[in-house]
Amino acid sequence: VKFYAGRARASGNRDVFEVFDSVGQLCGAFMDPASCWQQTQPAFDPSSPLQYDQRIALLRVLALNIQGSIEALGSAMAMPGPPLGLGRLGPIFGDIVSAMVSSD
């Protein structure tokens, strides 16, 4: 989160950003989405002790994690077997949408 917020964000190198984005996506592919969601929930709370740029950085991390989960789910769907639907993302999507709607 620190990399995506404040001065680090302003002085960041494009190549380093691409690496951090790839790492965020890979983490999303392997981590449980519910765990990612639990760790990034404070970004949606206006009374959070996090500064605004830190909250935005958490949203970026969450988006990258979800993107990685979706890419992993897409590759799993290409395999034969029963339909997976939203996979492990299903239980948290409703909570994320609710948090987005009620957030500032």
Side-chain angles (χ1 to χ4, degrees):
V1 172
K2 189 173 183 177
F3 178 76
Y4 290 118
R7 288 187 213 161
R9 171 77 177 144
S11 65
N13 180 314
R14 181 175 171 85
D15 294 332
V16 175
F17 274 107
E18 289 178 9
V19 170
F20 271 76
D21 287 352
S22 295
V23 169
Q25 291 172 0
L26 287 171
C27 286
F30 292 100
M31 289 175 57
D32 179 35
S35 175
C36 296
W37 166 237
Q38 186 177 19
Q39 293 175 30
T40 56
Q41 275 180 323
F44 293 95
D45 183 7
S47 64
S48 170
L50 298 172
Q51 295 179 10
Y52 191 70
D53 63 332
Q54 293 171 326
R55 290 175 58 206
I56 298 296
L58 270 177
L59 292 176
R60 182 177 179 109
V61 169
L62 177 63
L64 290 168
N65 288 165
I66 290 173
Q67 185 178 1
S69 292
I70 289 172
E71 289 177 11
L73 185 60
S75 63
M77 289 179 133
M79 303 175 106
L84 300 174
L86 291 175
R88 297 181 303 161
L89 291 169
I92 64 166
F93 265 162
D95 294 340
I96 292 173
V97 171
S98 295
M100 290 169 74
V101 169
S102 64
S103 181
D104 60 337

